[in-house]
Amino acid sequence: MNFMKKAWEHLDKPLWLASILIGIVLTLVVDKLPFVTRVAMVEIVLILINGIFSIWSGYWIYKHQRKWGELFIFPILYLITAYFFMPQYTYYFALAYLALAYLSWAMRQQK
């Protein structure tokens, strides 16, 4: 039980919450909306919103001096959701999100 308390204290709750909202909830909602076409979903949500969120998450992890392993949170949550609910061509966006988060984090490290 003590391990669970320590893990909960060290957990970056805002990053996890935002990653769940963007990576799972937004992806599911947009996929299920009948008036959102696949093209609009890819352009607006997968490229624009998730791309910006990936850049923000890399900056957030750097700013709050979190461990580099937390760069994987959003891409993995997105990949799980995409695997179960979205077309196969969307799986590759997880790699792009990881790359964007890493670049955002690494570019700040050099300053």
Side-chain angles (χ1 to χ4, degrees):
M1 195 64 174
N2 193 21
F3 170 74
M4 293 297 285
K5 281 185 178 181
K6 281 182 130 178
W8 181 253
E9 290 172 5
H10 293 294
L11 189 70
D12 192 356
K13 294 168 196 78
L15 180 64
W16 273 93
L17 179 64
S19 294
I20 289 170
L21 287 175
I22 300 291
I24 296 175
V25 175
L26 179 68
T27 304
L28 283 175
V29 168
V30 169
D31 185 51
K32 299 300 178 191
L33 289 176
F35 56 86
V36 177
T37 64
R38 293 282 181 198
V39 173
M41 178 185 67
V42 169
E43 290 174 349
I44 296 170
V45 176
L46 298 182
I47 294 175
L48 187 65
I49 295 174
N50 288 359
I52 290 171
F53 180 76
S54 295
I55 294 168
W56 174 84
S57 68
Y59 174 72
W60 175 272
I61 291 167
Y62 167 77
K63 182 179 174 188
H64 294 283
Q65 298 298 311
R66 307 300 296 177
K67 295 182 178 168
W68 64 270
E70 293 183 5
L71 293 169
F72 290 92
I73 294 171
F74 173 66
I76 289 175
L77 289 175
Y78 167 79
L79 183 61
I80 292 168
T81 307
Y83 180 77
F84 288 111
F85 300 103
M86 299 186 73
Q88 286 184 340
Y89 64 86
T90 61
Y91 301 169
Y92 301 106
F93 282 103
L95 288 173
Y97 301 148
L98 178 61
L100 285 172
Y102 174 75
L103 286 172
S104 172
W105 175 78
M107 289 175 67
R108 296 286 177 183
Q109 296 285 43
Q110 301 213 355
K111 288 185 178 183

